Amino acid sequence: MKILGATLGNCVHTEGLCNFLALAGRHGHAVRFLNVGLAPEALARTILREQPAAVALSYRLTPEVAAGLFRQLKKAIPASARKKTVFLFGGTPAVCRVAR
């Protein structure tokens, strides 16, 4: 399974995400860390181009900013493409509630 990983917006917290990608890689998945602090539109372009089975995202800052980033990401990825990709998320409990 191809899994892409990135942090969104201005978030530079990568430890949990990188640990997850390393674990997935050890279990035979093709993983790639895209970058720190990707803009939603840039992430969407990569998802549409590479068509991964899963995208692992991390954001550990404020829930209000995260909500805007998630809206932008959802708008940039057509519903048909979102249905083909599993989105995994790690963050603070407050941001996880927004991500849901």
Side-chain angles (χ1 to χ4, degrees), residues 51-54 79-87:
Q51 300 180 356
S80 59
R82 288 194 314 265
K83 289 179 183 177
K84 296 176 185 176
T85 305
V86 173
F87 287 86

Side-chain angles (χ1 to χ4, degrees), residues 14-47:
T14 61
E15 186 173 351
L17 176 63
C18 289
N19 284 339
F20 168 76
L21 292 174
L23 180 63
R26 284 195 299 273
H27 285 273
H29 299 284
V31 300
R32 187 160 70 99
F33 178 69
L34 297 174
N35 212 336
V36 173
L38 281 182
E41 296 80 10
L43 177 58
R45 284 191 301 273
T46 302
I47 291 168

Side-chain angles (χ1 to χ4, degrees), residues 42-89:
L43 177 58
R45 284 191 301 273
T46 302
I47 291 168
L48 293 172
R49 183 179 62 247
E50 297 199 19
Q51 300 180 356
V55 176
L57 300 173
S58 176
Y59 189 86
R60 296 188 48 82
L61 302 175
T62 62
E64 297 80 15
V65 174
L69 293 168
F70 297 145
R71 278 192 300 274
Q72 291 172 31
L73 185 60
K74 184 176 181 180
K75 184 178 177 183
I77 302 172
S80 59
R82 288 194 314 265
K83 289 179 183 177
K84 296 176 185 176
T85 305
V86 173
F87 287 86
L88 309 166
F89 182 75

